[in-house]
Amino acid sequence: MTSTHIDVGAIDFDALGAWMDGQGLPPGPVIGAVPVTGGTQNVMVRFERAGVPYILRRPPLHARARSNEVLRREARVLAALRDTPVPAPRLVAAQTEREPVFYLMEPVDGFNPSTGLPEPHASDPAVRHRMGLEAAVALAELGRVDPAVLPGYGKPEGFLERQVPRWRAELDSYGALDGYPGPDIPHLEETARWLTDRLPASFTPGVMHGDYHFANLMFAWDGPRVAAIVDWEMSTIGDPLLDLGWLIATWPSNNGHVPGLPSPRELVECYAALSDRDLSSVDWYAVMACFKLGIVLEGTHARACAGKAPKEIGDFLHATTLDLFARAHDIMSGLLH
């Protein structure tokens, strides 16, 4: 998570200002710089210059191995979406040709429901119900973007065929961690076989967010509309229906934040009304999302067993993995709810 302890003073705002001048942005001193919390390990800082608010997104001061590449990809996808109807942060300018890679975007005028609901959302059940449907509306809009706007951004050929082997290999790799006893996950083998046996015959490639759930959505203050889809670091060109599956897989976790949301079937119906994609295998995508996310979270449990992550976090995420595979089992049994 982005830390509230970001040392804003360690950022060279004079150099940033000179770079902004070169981009033709309004000149002046940088004022009011404050860290923005939440999201990923990349740094976000809000500031103003010449009366214009900006969000700076850059690697941490001690960058991870892939920090620059992740931000380069984020800047590229936001640039491609800038002139589309997809609700996404609006890219202002980016430095991607040399390191450190960073970019500026406009602040999003909205809120994330995990931090609480404002009015009218808090007291109006109809607004809360529609918030769920608007998540499907925004996703359908993303699914309509021509992937040709991002040439070479992903590898759509064989995308679905790679999923089960890719994530089984990821799970197997955890065995290299000392102290991890191996995956104790009911329905693991059954789920892998079910996914392999029911692989959709074909799909239409499109732009994927890659981590599409409520925590990565910001909503308008005055109603249920999605103001922006945020955190694009997992984006690629693949099968956009896996984003819909991801939304379904993570749906139960939203009930505590936003009571009265529509059912997953209502989400699917809403998406179907706005998309020409074949949704006959939507259960497959939801099970695949449970499978993949469960394995990803199990990685933290494995690292906790090896003393490389806090035990309480590892235990919590292992329990979440078990919940996801139980959900996958329900969906395979025809009990999508």
Side-chain angles (χ1 to χ4, degrees):
M1 300 291 284
T2 305
S3 171
T4 54
H5 302 294
I6 295 167
D7 184 2
V8 173
I11 298 174
D12 188 344
F13 286 107
D14 289 338
L16 177 63
W19 178 84
M20 292 175 70
D21 290 343
Q23 302 297 310
L25 297 171
V30 170
I31 63 171
V34 293
V36 178
T37 58
T40 68
Q41 292 185 36
N42 290 313
V43 171
M44 288 194 294
V45 175
R46 182 183 177 119
F47 67 92
E48 289 192 10
R49 192 172 190 244
V52 180
Y54 299 95
I55 299 287
L56 167 69
R57 189 154 164 88
R58 54 151 292 156
L61 297 179
H62 301 288
R64 294 169 294 160
R66 293 189 63 249
S67 292
N68 286 295
E69 179 57 25
V70 165
L71 287 171
R72 192 176 283 115
R73 288 177 63 83
E74 282 187 8
R76 188 176 172 201
V77 74
L78 291 179
L81 295 176
R82 184 162 48 190
D83 296 323
T84 74
V86 176
R90 183 169 176 78
L91 186 75
V92 176
Q95 174 177 285
T96 58
E97 299 304 315
R98 59 187 180 88
E99 297 183 356
V101 173
F102 63 84
Y103 62 84
L104 297 177
M105 59 185 177
E106 296 177 1
V108 175
D109 186 18
F111 72 95
N112 184 275
S114 64
T115 62
L117 295 177
E119 293 296 345
H121 310 69
S123 60
D124 191 334
V127 170
R128 295 196 300 273
H129 186 269
R130 185 65 203 178
M131 286 173 70
L133 298 180
E134 289 293 327
V137 170
L139 187 57
E141 196 66 68
L142 177 61
R144 282 195 286 271
V145 174
D146 184 349
V149 300
L150 288 163
Y153 195 72
K155 298 177 181 177
E157 300 82 8
F159 177 81
L160 293 183
E161 291 86 346
R162 290 195 300 271
Q163 295 303 307
V164 171
R166 160 74 177 85
W167 296 107
R168 281 307 306 264
E170 178 76 7
L171 183 62
D172 291 344
S173 74
Y174 302 157
L177 291 163
D178 289 338
Y180 179 56
D184 182 12
I185 303 173
H187 311 302
L188 172 62
E189 299 300 335
E190 175 191 357
T191 304
R193 284 194 303 270
W194 188 94
L195 288 166
T196 301
D197 292 345
R198 290 165 176 78
L199 185 76
S202 63
F203 72 95
T204 302
V207 180
M208 281 182 58
H209 179 270
D211 192 18
Y212 195 83
H213 56 88
F214 249 41
N216 283 334
L217 298 179
M218 296 185 71
F219 289 85
W221 294 104
D222 59 353
R225 176 181 57 85
V226 173
I229 307 166
V230 299
D231 282 352
W232 290 84
E233 65 181 59
M234 303 298 292
S235 59
T236 190
I237 303 299
D239 188 341
L241 290 183
L242 190 52
D243 276 341
L244 180 60
W246 205 264
L247 188 64
I248 293 168
T250 57
W251 201 241
S253 65
N254 302 323
N255 291 335
H257 303 306
V258 188
L261 288 171
S263 69
R265 287 297 180 199
E266 288 177 274
L267 295 182
V268 173
E269 291 168 3
C270 180
Y271 186 99
L274 299 169
S275 173
D276 58 3
R277 295 183 181 275
D278 179 3
L279 294 180
S280 60
S281 297
V282 68
D283 286 3
W284 187 91
Y285 292 96
V287 171
M288 183 68 243
C290 291
F291 182 80
K292 175 180 173 180
L293 182 55
I295 289 174
V296 169
L297 298 181
E298 181 70 5
T300 302
H301 174 235
R303 287 190 291 276
C305 290
K308 298 177 182 295
K311 182 180 185 300
E312 61 274 15
I313 294 177
D315 289 347
F316 172 76
L317 293 181
H318 178 64
T320 305
T321 292
L322 299 185
D323 288 344
L324 284 163
F325 274 86
R327 183 159 175 75
H329 184 258
D330 285 348
I331 297 170
M332 290 187 293
S333 304
L335 300 175
L336 178 59
H337 55 274

